[in-house]
Amino acid sequence: MRALVKTTAGPGLELVDVPEPEPGPGEVKIRVLRAGLCGTDLHIESWDEWSASMLQPPLTIGHEFYGEIVEIGPGVATGDGKYDLRVGMRVSAEGHVICGRCRNCRAGRQQMCVQTSSLGVNRDGAFADYVVIPASNVWEQPDDIDPELGAVFDPLGNAVHTALSFPMSGDDVLITGAGPIGVMATAIARHIGARYIVVTDVSDYRLELATAAGADRVVNVARDRVRPVQAELGMAEGFDVGLEMSGFPSALAEMIENATHGAKIAMLGLPKEPFAIDWGPVITRMITIKGIYGREMYDTWYRMTFMLQTSQELRERIRSVITHRFPAEQWQDAFAAARSGEVGKVIMDWS
């Protein structure tokens, strides 16, 4: 089968022929139809310090995908039961494979597993014709979720996990970073009833995507500041909720500066290196800061599926994040587009 593989410990990838994987006990084999390109994949392709510390080549990369079950391994419940898996079922998958044995796993906090193995990072991933994953990681998709929407469930889950970390119905929300996850978080915030949503970035292209997803105002922080927008919108005291999606120290600093007393901040963006913040306002304004990683297993999956099922408008707003599509053979063009900055979500067709 075709697979996009990190063949050696260095920059680059290769589209090569490799043997089809076979499902073992408790596993499922899936034919990949669509796969989303993530920032993690860009790091792996360039072979930065993080990639070198995490990967052991050769390895098939990729973790965002939608496909069809073609084979079910021994010990997996299959049939017509409500929770059974079946050949032909259309699915996405949770890309974090848990150990099931650590304290967090046994206490029902699987997303906090201390021995997580990540698809496309620690085990062969989904940039291939077929992928094998544990049956417990399979997520059945309803008929109204098409292959492209199904392929972005992993990053959508990040957006939903972050946006639902704190109540925001009727609140004013500041989102820093208009990458695909920030734009999807904008759509979720609009769907669940935020009052005003302000999104910042340094790319006008991405800020246009945020506007289409439901932002009331966008701010290019390379030119302008957030505070004047508060006056334009008639906000008296600052933002109630902040979603930090960029990983830039300046973004968090401006978020804290514009937060009201008692504000809640959820941080998903990973900084490139440690940085200092002014803890004075955090303490005196009683601001809560919460770190977010991945998705809550599997509460986030239920919530994003149900929200999309009940709102065509939300489905279209999430779909609008997908701006570029390439056949798998043009993977180099897909990676180039993703690196350009003038892009939302890039999807590769493996069908």
Side-chain angles (χ1 to χ4, degrees):
M1 70 171 187
R2 300 171 301 170
L4 191 57
V5 178
K6 172 64 74 172
T7 56
T8 60
L13 298 166
E14 293 184 50
L15 187 64
V16 297
D17 288 324
V18 301
E20 286 188 22
E22 297 300 326
E27 294 182 330
V28 171
K29 180 178 177 179
I30 299 167
R31 180 168 68 94
V32 178
L33 299 175
R34 301 288 189 280
L37 188 54
C38 173
T40 298
D41 304 314
L42 300 182
H43 287 291
I44 293 172
E45 191 275 337
S46 63
W47 198 247
D48 59 12
E49 183 177 347
W50 173 85
S51 302
S53 70
M54 294 295 291
L55 271 74
Q56 294 184 6
L59 184 87
T60 300
I61 72 165
H63 58 277
E64 303 175 3
F65 76 98
Y66 172 99
E68 178 181 4
I69 294 177
V70 295
E71 189 176 348
I72 295 175
V76 178
T78 182
D80 297 324
K82 180 164 51 173
Y83 302 116
D84 290 346
L85 300 179
R86 295 174 296 281
V87 170
M89 182 180 283
R90 296 297 181 95
V91 299
S92 298
E94 167 60 56
H96 292 162
V97 179
I98 62 169
C99 74
R101 301 182 301 276
C102 70
R103 178 178 178 181
N104 280 327
C105 284
R106 297 181 70 179
R109 300 184 294 267
Q110 293 95 331
Q111 69 273 7
M112 298 180 184
C113 173
V114 299
Q115 299 185 98
T116 299
S117 175
S118 295
L119 193 68
V121 177
N122 310 117
R123 56 184 290 152
D124 283 329
F127 286 174
D129 289 320
Y130 297 95
V131 63
V132 166
I133 63 171
S136 58
N137 284 63
V138 173
W139 185 260
E140 180 184 1
Q141 290 290 14
D143 292 339
D144 42 10
I145 302 298
D146 61 71
E148 288 193 350
L149 276 179
V152 300
F153 257 56
D154 180 293
L156 174 60
N158 292 338
V160 170
H161 185 187
T162 309
L164 299 187
S165 292
F166 304 113
M168 64 170 63
S169 178
D171 283 345
D172 298 324
V173 180
L174 176 61
I175 300 175
T176 51
I181 296 175
V183 173
M184 287 191 278
T186 302
I188 297 299
R190 178 55 63 212
H191 178 73
I192 62 179
R195 183 176 74 148
Y196 294 130
I197 305 168
V198 177
V199 181
T200 71
D201 203 280
V202 295
S203 166
D204 288 328
Y205 179 94
R206 290 187 163 182
L207 289 172
E208 288 178 9
L209 295 178
T211 299
D216 295 287
R217 294 286 193 281
V218 295
V219 180
N220 188 320
V221 289
R223 301 189 301 263
D224 302 305
R225 301 269 60 84
V226 171
R227 186 166 296 280
V229 176
Q230 294 188 49
E232 293 174 20
L233 295 174
M235 294 169 53
E237 298 178 1
F239 291 92
D240 305 290
V241 176
L243 309 180
E244 207 305 284
M245 307 295 206
S246 72
F248 281 92
S250 57
L252 179 60
E254 190 157 23
M255 180 172 282
I256 293 170
E257 178 185 336
N258 287 275
T260 188
H261 287 224
K264 309 291 194 299
I265 294 175
M267 296 183 62
L268 181 78
L270 280 170
K272 293 182 178 180
E273 56 188 24
F275 65 90
I277 68 171
D278 184 355
W279 286 101
V282 174
I283 295 168
T284 59
R285 297 181 193 174
M286 296 162 283
I287 295 171
T288 298
I289 299 177
K290 179 181 180 180
I292 305 293
Y293 185 71
R295 298 144 298 279
E296 292 190 326
M297 300 179 193
Y298 281 83
D299 187 56
T300 299
W301 290 84
Y302 283 104
R303 291 177 183 273
M304 58 179 161
T305 297
F306 295 163
M307 284 191 287
L308 288 175
Q309 281 187 298
T310 57
S311 174
Q312 181 177 350
E313 183 177 34
L314 180 61
R315 290 197 297 272
E316 293 308 312
R317 282 178 169 166
I318 298 301
R319 193 190 315 280
S320 72
V321 178
I322 304 170
T323 58
H324 292 67
R325 299 160 175 86
F326 298 90
E329 291 80 5
Q330 296 179 17
W331 67 269
Q332 291 170 313
D333 295 330
F335 274 70
R339 291 188 186 282
S340 71
E342 298 295 296
V343 65
K345 194 69 183 173
V346 177
I347 297 291
M348 291 193 291
D349 186 344
W350 288 86
S351 61

